[in-house]
Amino acid sequence: MAKFQISESVDINRSAETVFQYVNDLSQATAWRPQISIRDFSGEPFEVGTTWNEVTNFMGREMVVSFEVTALEAGRGCEMKMDGGAVIGSTTWDISPISDESSTANLSFDGAVTGWMMGLASGLLRNQAQKDMKKDLGNLKSTLESA
């Protein structure tokens, strides 16, 4: 098992509550994360215990990652347990107000890679995940600020 952590932050000219609601609205996920699709969403409301699968491709292979919300603080953040077979861990959103109309969104991953991808964790996988996280947060900022 190869462990790694990554995180990225972005300032968004929208209130913390608006950002929180948007990132937790799975029907909007592909607007700022076009590389994924959502399957098997357990439905609204988005709360502790909510589950879904995200489907993406990595190195030509389809990856299905299961998520479950394990902690939620309305308007502030949430933590989700992830299990993609080869990728396990937790993802955390922390959304902090800067002012009434702007906020900082921090996204982090703390977990491990196993199986066929384990050798990639220290290099390619970690770097690609960091680039994807930064790109996703840039897309989130652009999407919310243009609305």
Side-chain angles (χ1 to χ4, degrees), residues 18-35:
T18 298
V19 174
F20 175 82
Q21 289 175 352
Y22 192 78
V23 299
N24 292 309
D25 179 353
L26 294 182
S27 71
Q28 300 295 325
T30 58
W32 59 281
R33 296 183 63 212
Q35 74 277 15

Side-chain angles (χ1 to χ4, degrees), residues 42-53:
S42 64
E44 297 295 337
F46 191 88
E47 60 190 3
V48 172
T50 297
T51 60
W52 69 96
N53 293 321

Side-chain angles (χ1 to χ4, degrees), residues 36-99:
I36 67 161
S37 63
I38 303 291
R39 295 186 189 158
D40 308 315
F41 177 44
S42 64
E44 297 295 337
F46 191 88
E47 60 190 3
V48 172
T50 297
T51 60
W52 69 96
N53 293 321
E54 287 186 9
V55 182
T56 191
N57 283 299
F58 182 74
M59 296 183 66
R61 294 184 188 211
E62 182 178 89
M63 289 184 58
V64 179
V65 180
S66 298
F67 286 82
E68 179 181 356
V69 178
T70 56
L72 186 72
E73 183 180 347
R76 174 83 174 142
C78 65
E79 184 174 316
M80 298 155 287
K81 177 176 68 172
M82 298 173 50
D83 186 348
V87 179
I88 57 172
S90 64
T91 298
T92 304
W93 279 104
D94 181 25
I95 303 165
S96 304
I98 297 171
S99 69

